[in-house]
Amino acid sequence: MQQAVRSAQNQWLPPPMDVVKINFDGATSPKKKKAGIGVVVRDVNGLVLASCAKIKHEPYKAVEIESLVAATTLSLTTDLGFQRVILERDSMEVIQALRENTQPLTPTGLPLEDVRRFSQNFDELLFSHTKRDGNIVAHSLAKYALSIPDFLV
């Protein structure tokens, strides 16, 4: 397994051949006490191989939902059987946390530990940072998730 961070791009760029790129995002609605998760898996041609939107009926803070989204993303990816993966997010803070091997004493610690556990299932796992425009599909799915009853794949 190899981990790396790429520099931020303004638009979505395809992964290399035989690798899937997974963009993920979270959205919160403190007023409604809900959070949404959005994940999209694409290949070298930009073809969507899988996507999901999931609602969480709890008032997560932004940093908490972002860590939970990462764990949910890797769980889904493991279930789908992809082995060579780039995880891409528009939060550099989350990407850096995913790369570090420390155990934070924060509410995000448990989801990040789940991420580390799931990370062992891949032949290649890279972490990439993009700007919001490069993550717009996952962001839209996360916002959409705030209006669904449960989980859509």
Side-chain angles (χ1 to χ4, degrees):
M1 177 180 64
Q2 180 183 10
Q3 298 180 356
V5 172
R6 296 182 182 181
S7 61
Q9 304 293 322
N10 286 324
Q11 62 185 11
W12 187 85
L13 296 175
M17 190 66 93
D18 298 324
V19 176
V20 296
K21 184 180 275 189
I22 304 171
N23 291 82
F24 62 103
D25 204 355
T28 60
S29 178
K31 190 183 238 183
K32 295 180 182 179
K33 297 183 180 178
K34 296 179 183 180
I37 295 172
V39 179
V40 61
V41 182
R42 291 182 276 199
D43 68 8
V44 67
N45 298 312
L47 180 68
V48 175
L49 304 175
S51 65
C52 82
K54 182 176 184 177
I55 191 164
K56 300 298 278 181
H57 295 281
E58 297 178 40
Y60 288 101
K61 293 179 182 172
V63 69
E64 293 170 332
I65 193 63
E66 298 303 347
S67 299
L68 187 59
V69 171
T72 301
T73 299
L74 280 180
S75 174
L76 174 68
T77 305
T78 298
D79 291 345
L80 293 172
F82 296 115
Q83 290 297 306
R84 298 184 68 218
V85 174
I86 296 173
L87 285 182
E88 187 168 75
R89 174 71 184 94
D90 60 11
S91 168
M92 185 54 132
E93 178 183 18
V94 171
I95 293 299
Q96 286 176 335
L98 292 173
R99 291 184 66 230
E100 293 175 2
N101 223 0
T102 59
Q103 304 237 352
L105 299 174
T106 66
T108 62
L110 290 176
L112 289 178
E113 192 55 39
D114 286 343
V115 167
R116 289 184 189 96
R117 186 171 42 84
F118 284 123
S119 294
Q120 298 171 7
N121 298 326
F122 300 94
D123 292 339
E124 181 177 18
L125 178 61
L126 304 171
F127 298 107
S128 176
H129 176 248
T130 187
K131 294 187 178 175
R132 174 60 55 101
D133 289 345
N135 204 42
I136 197 72
V137 175
H139 181 71
S140 296
L141 281 169
K143 286 174 51 178
Y144 171 70
L146 294 170
S147 66
I148 64 174
D150 188 28
F151 182 68
L152 296 173
V153 177

